[in-house]
Amino acid sequence: MSPIRLALVGLGKIARDQHLPAIAATDGIELVAVASRNAALDGVAHFATLADLLASREAFDAVALCTPPQGRHDLAALALSAGKHVLLEKPPGATVSELGPLVAAAEVSGRTLFATWHSRFAPAVEPARAFLAEVAPRAVTITWKEDVRVWHPGQRWIWEPGGLGVFDPGINALSILTAILARPVFVTGAELSFPSNCAAPIAATLDLADAGGLKVRADLDFLQTGPQSWDIAVDTDRGTLLIAQGGAQLTLDGQVLCAQPEAEYRTIYKHFVGLVAQGRSDVDLAPLQLVADAFLLGRRVSVAPFHD
Amino acid sequence: MSPIRLALVGLGKIARDQHLPAIAATDGIELVAVASRNAALDGVAHFATLADLLASREAFDAVALCTPPQGRHDLAALALSAGKHVLLEKPPGATVSELGPLVAAAEVSGRTLFATWHSRFAPAVEPARAFLAEVAPRAVTITWKEDVRVWHPGQRWIWEPGGLGVFDPGINALSILTAILARPVFVTGAELSFPSNCAAPIAATLDLADAGGLKVRADLDFLQTGPQSWDIAVDTDRGTLLIAQGGAQLTLDGQVLCAQPEAEYRTIYKHFVGLVAQGRSDVDLAPLQLVADAFLLGRRVSVAPFHD
């Protein structure tokens, strides 16, 4: 089978840091075009927008959407209507309900829609899931604290409606949580701290539960200087399972269970190639649903303005 | 078949105004108990809480939950785990994700879970749906403006997290909208006005769209004095279809198409009796999903404090 001819839409930090090397390292897919208003890539056909690319004679099979979430739906709808497969960066959109028509469009056109959650492909996730399938969790504590100025410099869209603020990294934790627990969780309470000049929260605490009474507490902060934390600690009868470093490391009471090299985006593209070959889609909205529910149920607190 | 023995949980305004007369008027169901901390009913067994009722020797088959939405999930989970059928007032919960485990519990136990949307049983709704299945809508305008002091006196829960504020009535409009349109809609923008002393909005504008490019605009206000508006106007090639008075009246360019007497809650209970007889559930989360998405995507504006 000839490789999937991929167009990358959006050529910002995540596209350069992760997508380009992962595409280059993956069999069965090749980059043939870039659509970006601001940047181009040597040796790859370039267009300002997806619409321009579609209007050209450039032949391609699929798009990877690496633009901010606010415009993702319209780009995905356009690509699907043109018969292209679509890979969505996380979060898959600015709302949950906008995904329904995209899933339907992919089904009707027989194309693949893949809503990626890169953290689910971190090395610790599958072993953690397997462990928790055998040993019931007693409580879960998520600590997700990073410095937005280091990791998202100048990314103003994060603070606009639909940009999610601290939930942009926090949804990664929720994507791991919903992958490793056997039972679905739901939000039972939240407090969201909105800078007075921003439309998205800069910190949040979140309480979740499952039907069996499991309690999950999440503490998200976007102003963490010094050591950064991307940890999920699961209290069990066999000890504390710690998914650390965003999923890069798994320990049980400090003993390392797994420390494989990180390969999140290469696994994403390998999975995408497989989905296209099988004519399947993969769209799980649980992490975004939990964020929407946190906004719905959360108590809002106004905090100091944020300046980049 | 002997009638369904129903317990009413919560005996506030909606229970007295709507549920009691509807239950009395419906074949196949009878009220046998009330659980309420604040009120009782002559001639009906009374308990302070659902837990007390379940711990008693009172025999019953189903509960109708008329308490505020914030505690609805736990009550529904308790009732289902005791093998009872459950009817939920609208909205069905304080989050979307909390409904998943309830649907699963109802399935496992073979009990009926019915998430009611009373406005969907208004007389104009089915004729409007049938009309719009033949004549495509060109644009939709929702105007939902009422005086919270008249319709929700002292209902402090409306202003707490999970109480929805102006979306408590506004979700009725969304429940009609999602019933009459052939295609699903999604939120594309929102502005939410939060009183500085409340955790829920007192006014909102909402923009929605469907995959075919239909635009819907909703204007919600909770401080409307004078004439009250609960209208959905649909622009079509055949004229303007107006669903007025919350669904009580249907006109086309001013010509009355339907003006049957209102029987929303009697239709709800009739439907519930049918669902129980067939061993089915009926849980459509689309209206609540749209509200969650409005909170997720909406820009927040702080407005004057609200005092009842």
Side-chain angles (χ1 to χ4, degrees), chain A residues 97 160 289 293 299-300, chain B residues 97 160 289 293 299-300:
Chain A
S97 48
E160 294 299 319
Q289 183 68 69
D293 282 343
R299 193 177 284 279
R300 281 166 191 77
Chain B
S97 48
E160 294 299 318
Q289 184 67 68
D293 282 344
R299 191 177 284 279
R300 283 166 189 77

Side-chain angles (χ1 to χ4, degrees), chain A residues 161 194 199 292 295-296 298 300, chain B residues 164-167 174 187 189-196 198-207 217-218 220 290-303:
Chain A
F194 281 70
F295 276 67
L296 180 63
R300 281 166 191 77
Chain B
L164 299 190
V166 73
F167 284 97
L174 297 175
V187 178
E191 186 171 289
L192 311 178
S193 298
F194 281 70
S196 55
C198 294
I202 198 162
T205 56
L206 205 58
D207 289 299
R217 182 70 192 251
L220 315 179
L290 293 176
V291 177
D293 282 344
F295 276 66
L296 180 63
L297 186 61
R299 191 177 284 279
R300 283 166 189 77
V301 182
S302 187
V303 297

